[in-house]
Amino acid sequence: MQSTARAFTANARQALDDAKLQVALARFPEGFPVKRRLAVERLPEFEALRDDAKEIKDHVLAHLDYYLERFEAKVAERGGQVHWCSDAEEARTLLVKLCRDAGATTITKAKSMIGEEIGVNDCLEEAGFKPVETDLGEYIIQLRHEPPSHIIAPAVHLSKDQVAEAFRAAHKDLPDDRPLNEPQEMLDEARAVLRRAFLSSSVGITGANMLVAETGSIVLVTNEGNADLTQTIPPVQIVIASIEKIVPTLEDAATVLRVLARSATGQDLSVYTTFTTGPRRSGDLDGPQHFHVILLDNGRTRMLGGEFREMLRCIRCGACINHCPVYGAIGGHAYGWVYSGPMGAVLIPNLIGVDEAKDLPNASTLCGRCEEVCPMRIPLPRLLRKLRDQQFEAGQVPPLFRYGLRWWARLARWPALYRLATGAGVATLGRLGRRKGRFRKMPFAGGWTNARDLPAPQGRTFQQWWSAEKGVRQ
Amino acid sequence: MISGRERTLSAIRDALGRGALGPDEKAKLERRLRYPRANVVPARGQCDSREGLVATFIAEAERVNATVERLCSGDDIAPAVADFLRAHNLPQRVRVAGDAVFKDVRWSDAGGLEAEAGPAAADDSASVTGAYAGIAETGTLMLLSGPDSPTLLNFLPPNHIIVLPEGSVVGTYEDAWHRLRAEVGTGIAMPRVITWITGPSRTADIEQTLLLGAHGPRRLHVLLVDGATSAA
Amino acid sequence: MKVALFVTCLVDLIRPSVGMAAVKLLRDAGCEVVVPAAQTCCGQPAVNSGDRADAVAIAKRVIDAFSSFSHVVVPSGSCAGTIKVHYPELFQDDPVMARRARDLADRTFELTTFLADVLKVGAIAGRFDAEAAYHDSCSGLRELGIREQPRALLAGIAGLELQELKGAATCCGFGGLFCVKYPDISEKMVDAKVDDILASGADAVLGGDLGCLMNIAGRLSRRGVPMNVRHVAEVLADMTADVPPVGGREARGSA
């Protein structure tokens, strides 16, 4: 997918002015975060489970080569085929080849973030296939030709009117005068349309929430059941997974599952959790004849060897996004690529380059809510600071801030000079601001005063008062 | 030409600052896989009494919009299915899995109920399947695929009735894995598809409004059969 | 007990009354207060902007300036957080400085935690007639675990009723340089906070971090909403009758 992360500031402004988006975002605080809190309160072991989940993933990352080879061997044992790709281009080429070999026309897809990363739909369309997203939210945004605005709720930015509009434009074979006012009517329509796609599909493409090394299983989690229809009906199944999705055992998968849905939607467990191992067996009445797993690096080994390894623990639950006040203000599209919120602000620069996404690490107050709720205990604010360190070192900080900071830092290192410089300023501002107690405008402070008054200084510094006070007391 | 496989594996090893693992290290990891150990297990699913487990299972399943009906014996299965269909104004016709639990069920005795075995057809309105286990901790049903239990039965029809012997209720996910390892195995004998179902299908993708019956069943009805032991 | 006050640059320059209140509270609790002259800013803007060289230089100064005190008290959660959490991270490649940084971190306390947890001061007597929303600033809340301490100290203030905000744990949008780098987003965030405060029915806002308070007060004032915005120290030190609120004018009659 083409990134617009360079235009973050403009994207954000547009998002703030988008009334419909703001209505959708206003629902957030009362939604996922509340549900997560209730789910966590109901499970006293939640914090201990987070520790275990983190430990599992750290262990896997330290032995990633072993577990991947082991996973591959198990998939092969069960009649499946594992392919290894280093980057998006390789993965796309392979995917198109596999679909051609399958003689595909309609291809059903279950929402996959790695699929978004490499732009699966665009590449399949270009190759002449008809990819159909089957997760309701993902289907809606596919019709609207836009990227997901949230990793677990891709169409969360839309109103039902916008959904209805997209359905009317796409489902031309249905009567124009059909009622399409309530979400239930839209769901019924999508269910019927997608049911036809499922039944005519020749390839099913899914991601994977986890890969189990012990058994060679892929784990898929959905609430709708679309992943199961995607991976059961067509004769060919292709799983695309990034290499960090491995867990060692079924027990380890259970631990991750216990924190995944609770962190994501506040459910104890998603409705469907499916462990799939290889293609259809003899005697089976359904299931694909061919089972492919594409293991994709796409930047992960680079992160593994650097300062951002901890980000590879991410299980894509979206808790950091749901609790991020910046996301809450501007939504997901402003981030300009596949991911958003704090995890996006760390991942996007790592995957497409800090140059392409200069604003993302900076557009955070570092309030720490993300780290507090991350089930895998990823220190997101610390990772954002690391990105800022890199940017400063590379000279990517705007001159005004760079010199301003340097000037302030110099002053801060020379207390006497600092007191001299600040004392005079404070006295002047204090005098000017005494009557009202605040300023509505201030040169060079437009960033502050465009939206807020600036409380006026009280007129002398604490240090001045303290010197006087000390004199009195001595 | 270096294969993608070698490229990825060597990139991983470079990133980790080491070569391929030695035999000792590999043996350690192999042991971790061969003798899987449980991590923290929530107390919620751990209960000494069967009645306690069953009560937790029912409460948790109902929390996620499943309905649960307790039956005294296998003889009540067919009438209960007929009643369920009637209550929801559905045709007296079901697609039935070939699980052992249905061996002695005489479907036609329940009024005009028609039961047909085999994979689900697109227009089936209800399916009846067994389950390998019920997991009390989250009210989850664990279903295994096989020649008698095609996976689509669990997903295509909008109404899914699951028959679960009370003896098949276990406490936790770990208990379920333990039973599977002991009875079926997780090696080559492991079923192709293991599905955990926790309530009926749902979505909240339009304006965060919760709706049941997205792609999978709109209704999930569990018939919990007393006295019966495990179906396996 | 001898206590060194790190007054923070924002309090020093904008609102010294917070520092005065801190001095009074510490003295009332039996401490001897010292204010090392060699103090300026904790370096947080540099720490959070990736300017590691300057952050390290400033941190070294602060570590030197406060090396001889057993207790260092800071009337700000975020500045205390910078010293306690981020200084040690700055010296990962310098074991000697890292040890000194950790040592200072161990000796440094945010004001209300010092009063409540170290000195075991209970509810403090005073008067402040208000229904006040308490704003837990992010660094204090999440880096230092400050939540109950200010509330426990405020329990003795007559006339004060505390309101809990619905989004109590949500950032106000200040974020140091964030608010001037991304003013549009910051405005949206502070508006959400202000709406939350207004919905609570509060007529005052209390908090432990001047940056957040200036942000909230500045937005309230721009929206034309009168509100008594105060640093918690001023309320605890019973100074509210003598000092106008943040962003407020001097006592009636002097205008």
Side-chain angles (χ1 to χ4, degrees):
Chain A
M1 192 200 128
Q2 192 61 41
S3 155
T4 66
R6 274 174 182 272
F8 174 81
T9 316
N11 293 347
R13 183 65 260 168
Q14 202 183 343
L16 289 163
D17 294 336
D18 181 338
K20 282 188 172 157
L21 172 64
Q22 290 300 328
V23 170
L25 290 172
R27 289 190 197 103
F28 249 87
E30 296 302 305
F32 293 135
V34 173
K35 295 192 179 101
R36 175 195 176 273
R37 182 170 52 74
L38 296 174
V40 168
E41 282 169 5
R42 231 167 70 80
L43 191 72
E45 297 88 353
F46 190 75
E47 294 306 313
L49 284 162
R50 285 173 73 180
D51 292 337
D52 277 2
K54 170 185 184 292
E55 204 182 296
I56 290 165
K57 220 56 195 278
D58 281 341
H59 168 79
V60 165
L61 292 173
H63 305 96
L64 192 55
D65 49 343
Y66 173 83
Y67 283 119
L68 285 168
E69 286 189 277
R70 167 72 191 229
F71 171 78
E72 179 190 38
K74 287 287 158 185
V75 172
E77 228 173 67
R78 312 300 302 269
Q81 203 179 340
V82 172
H83 312 261
W84 304 69
C85 293
S86 293
D87 57 27
E89 189 52 48
E90 267 183 47
R92 284 191 293 257
T93 308
L94 174 63
L95 200 57
V96 169
K97 181 187 175 301
L98 292 175
C99 291
R100 288 225 168 98
D101 291 350
T105 46
T106 296
I107 296 170
T108 37
K109 278 191 64 210
K111 187 173 86 64
S112 145
M113 290 316 297
I114 189 79
E116 293 288 339
E117 251 183 60
I118 65 174
V120 165
N121 287 343
D122 287 350
C123 100
L124 291 179
E125 274 173 27
E126 274 166 35
F129 304 111
K130 190 184 167 224
V132 181
E133 291 286 356
T134 60
D135 170 83
L136 178 59
E138 197 78 14
Y139 175 64
I140 294 166
I141 62 161
Q142 187 190 19
L143 294 183
R144 288 172 52 92
H145 305 287
E146 60 184 358
S149 67
H150 189 292
I151 59 169
I152 66 159
V156 74
H157 57 291
L158 297 174
S159 71
K160 60 184 182 183
D161 301 349
Q162 290 169 303
V163 176
E165 201 177 297
F167 281 13
R168 286 194 192 282
H171 306 153
K172 291 284 193 208
D173 52 330
L174 297 173
D176 285 341
D177 58 351
R178 67 191 189 277
L180 211 47
N181 305 313
E182 291 311 312
Q184 182 70 55
E185 292 163 345
M186 299 171 204
L187 172 62
D188 291 344
E189 181 166 319
R191 181 181 164 114
V193 169
L194 290 170
R195 191 51 73 90
R196 287 201 295 276
F198 280 126
L199 295 172
S200 64
S201 166
S202 36
V203 175
I205 298 178
T206 70
N209 291 86
M210 284 180 270
L211 310 170
V212 185
E214 176 198 356
T215 57
S217 310
I218 64 147
V219 185
L220 275 168
V221 174
T222 73
N223 278 316
E224 299 183 2
N226 61 307
D228 295 279
L229 293 174
T230 301
Q231 66 174 338
T232 313
I233 297 175
V236 177
Q237 177 178 3
I238 305 172
V239 180
I240 314 175
S242 50
I243 53 176
E244 81 279 14
K245 292 281 169 191
I246 288 266
V247 294
T249 66
L250 293 170
E251 276 73 3
D252 296 323
T255 298
V256 173
L257 288 168
R258 283 197 181 99
V259 296
L260 174 59
R262 288 183 172 94
S263 301
T265 56
Q267 293 168 279
D268 288 347
L269 194 66
S270 300
V271 176
Y272 301 110
T273 303
T274 304
F275 302 76
T276 304
T277 319
R280 180 193 289 220
R281 313 263 168 81
S282 73
D284 278 354
L285 300 176
D286 52 24
Q289 273 97 21
H290 302 279
F291 181 85
H292 298 275
V293 181
I294 300 176
L295 293 176
L296 179 56
D297 181 341
N298 210 31
R300 270 62 175 182
T301 51
R302 198 173 54 236
M303 289 171 70
L304 186 67
E307 290 187 299
F308 299 92
R309 181 193 292 193
E310 291 189 274
M311 195 61 216
L312 296 175
R313 286 203 300 267
C314 178
I315 54 173
R316 308 291 191 264
C317 69
C320 63
I321 302 173
N322 296 341
H323 290 78
C324 177
V326 173
Y327 180 93
I330 59 173
H333 285 159
Y335 291 79
W337 203 54
V338 175
Y339 301 108
S340 58
M343 57 86 75
V346 175
L347 266 182
I348 296 172
N350 266 289
L351 295 178
I352 68 172
V354 186
D355 271 2
E356 289 293 322
K358 289 195 179 87
D359 278 304
L360 301 193
N362 296 292
S364 161
T365 60
L366 303 174
C367 80
R369 198 104 192 266
C370 48
E371 180 176 7
E372 187 178 54
V373 296
C374 173
M376 306 307 286
R377 299 201 190 282
I378 300 171
L380 289 153
R382 178 144 37 98
L383 299 183
L384 290 171
R385 281 193 179 90
K386 277 182 197 289
L387 284 165
R388 294 182 188 186
D389 291 352
Q390 285 185 0
Q391 288 181 309
F392 196 92
E393 234 165 84
Q396 289 174 346
V397 175
L400 182 67
F401 280 101
R402 196 178 189 83
Y403 295 122
L405 264 177
R406 183 122 297 171
W407 177 83
W408 177 252
R410 289 285 140 78
L411 213 53
R413 281 146 72 181
W414 300 105
L417 186 66
Y418 165 93
R419 274 201 293 281
L420 201 66
T422 55
V426 161
T428 313
L429 289 177
R431 240 187 348 270
L432 290 172
R434 178 157 306 151
R435 210 169 65 79
K436 290 217 151 93
R438 58 195 153 85
F439 299 99
R440 291 186 68 84
K441 270 211 168 73
M442 171 81 63
F444 307 113
W448 180 282
T449 54
N450 283 345
R452 316 166 190 77
D453 292 347
L454 181 67
Q458 286 172 329
R460 60 173 175 168
T461 68
F462 176 82
Q463 293 282 6
Q464 288 165 343
W465 173 81
W466 178 254
S467 304
E469 160 83 6
K470 218 165 39 178
V472 171
R473 282 175 81 92
Q474 274 163 0
Chain B
M1 203 186 95
I2 305 171
S3 71
R5 181 178 194 279
E6 288 317 308
R7 213 162 43 230
T8 304
L9 289 172
S10 71
I12 290 170
R13 286 166 191 147
D14 287 352
L16 295 172
R18 59 163 172 77
L21 293 172
D24 290 356
E25 190 81 5
K26 274 190 175 170
K28 226 165 77 189
L29 296 174
E30 191 60 42
R31 267 199 303 282
R32 193 190 188 290
L33 291 178
R34 187 154 304 175
Y35 307 103
R37 57 184 166 79
N39 304 297
V40 168
V41 180
R44 192 203 290 172
Q46 301 181 50
C47 177
D48 290 337
S49 77
R50 172 128 312 267
E51 199 41 47
L53 276 184
V54 170
T56 304
F57 172 80
I58 295 173
E60 293 298 324
E62 287 177 345
R63 270 177 65 90
V64 291
N65 313 82
T67 49
V68 183
E69 191 179 338
R70 299 185 77 164
L71 304 181
C72 293
S73 83
D75 296 343
D76 299 336
I77 293 174
V81 169
D83 285 349
F84 173 84
L85 297 174
R86 211 168 297 122
H88 293 100
N89 246 338
L90 296 164
Q92 290 286 320
R93 202 167 49 239
V94 287
R95 185 74 64 172
V96 183
D99 298 49
V101 70
F102 303 124
K103 208 172 60 219
D104 302 324
V105 176
R106 290 198 304 274
W107 298 104
S108 53
D109 284 6
L113 184 60
E114 290 172 40
E116 202 178 330
D123 56 351
D124 286 345
S125 58
S127 62
V128 184
T129 73
Y132 178 70
I135 306 172
E137 140 169 39
T138 43
T140 298
L141 293 136
M142 176 169 171
L143 282 72
L144 311 182
S145 71
D148 291 324
S149 46
T151 301
L152 287 179
L153 276 182
N154 312 330
F155 292 96
L156 277 182
N159 297 279
H160 188 189
I161 301 167
I162 296 182
V163 177
L164 180 73
E166 274 190 14
S168 296
V169 176
V170 299
T172 65
Y173 305 147
E174 285 76 4
D175 294 338
W177 292 141
H178 182 76
R179 223 188 106 189
L180 185 79
R181 288 186 207 288
E183 295 176 357
V184 183
T186 47
I188 203 80
M190 188 170 117
R192 188 184 93 79
V193 182
I194 299 173
T195 310
W196 288 1
I197 300 178
T198 311
S201 159
R202 68 199 60 201
T203 184
D205 274 349
I206 303 175
E207 294 192 345
Q208 300 191 43
T209 311
L210 180 70
L211 300 171
L212 296 183
H215 288 293
R218 210 159 291 192
R219 297 193 190 91
L220 180 71
H221 189 59
V222 183
L223 299 177
L224 202 52
V225 186
D226 190 19
T229 46
S230 148
Chain C
M1 184 187 290
K2 193 164 166 180
V3 169
L5 184 67
F6 184 95
V7 76
T8 79
C9 57
L10 223 45
V11 167
D12 180 37
L13 304 180
I14 307 283
R15 205 165 168 85
S17 55
V18 174
M20 300 172 200
V23 170
K24 176 171 185 296
L25 288 166
L26 291 168
R27 282 180 179 158
D28 285 354
C31 299
E32 181 196 339
V33 181
V34 187
V35 181
Q39 61 173 293
T40 58
C41 166
C42 67
Q44 191 185 134
V47 171
N48 285 346
S49 301
D51 182 359
R52 284 187 79 91
D54 282 324
V56 163
I58 295 173
K60 280 183 175 162
R61 291 267 169 176
V62 175
I63 291 168
D64 282 343
F66 289 90
S67 60
S68 59
F69 302 99
S70 62
H71 295 88
V72 179
V73 173
V74 190
S76 153
S78 73
C79 303
T82 296
I83 295 174
K84 287 179 80 69
V85 178
H86 301 294
Y87 276 13
E89 292 174 355
L90 288 174
F91 297 103
Q92 271 162 359
D93 307 325
D94 182 344
V96 176
M97 276 315 296
R99 197 166 49 241
R100 293 189 65 202
R102 274 196 304 276
D103 177 53
L104 175 62
D106 292 341
R107 292 182 281 117
T108 300
F109 303 88
E110 182 275 339
L111 176 66
T112 61
T113 43
F114 184 70
L115 293 170
D117 298 344
V118 180
L119 300 180
K120 310 282 181 204
V121 171
I124 294 176
R127 174 143 214 111
F128 185 56
D129 288 303
E131 262 189 56
Y134 198 90
H135 174 64
D136 298 290
S137 61
C138 298
S139 312
L141 180 65
R142 281 179 278 266
E143 288 184 342
L144 305 179
I146 305 169
R147 214 198 100 82
E148 300 312 323
Q149 297 90 337
R151 288 170 175 78
L153 297 172
L154 286 167
I157 303 295
L160 173 65
E161 203 181 307
L162 280 186
Q163 299 287 343
E164 290 301 328
L165 292 179
K166 239 162 124 183
T170 305
C171 177
C172 70
F174 173 61
L177 289 175
F178 171 86
C179 71
V180 289
K181 274 187 181 167
Y182 300 96
D184 296 353
I185 303 172
S186 175
E187 177 184 341
K188 178 78 189 170
M189 290 164 71
V190 70
D191 261 342
K193 182 59 71 182
V194 164
D195 290 342
D196 197 5
I197 291 166
L198 295 179
S200 77
D203 55 17
V205 178
L206 304 183
D209 266 275
L210 189 53
C212 309
L213 294 174
M214 287 172 64
N215 180 43
I216 295 169
R219 186 60 188 165
L220 279 160
S221 146
R222 180 59 59 88
R223 282 175 55 169
V225 183
M227 185 80 62
N228 201 344
V229 181
R230 296 280 177 182
H231 192 286
V232 63
E234 293 173 358
V235 176
L236 291 171
D238 214 5
M239 284 171 41
T240 55
D242 310 322
V243 181
V246 179
R249 62 190 74 193
E250 280 197 7
R252 256 157 258 133
S254 71

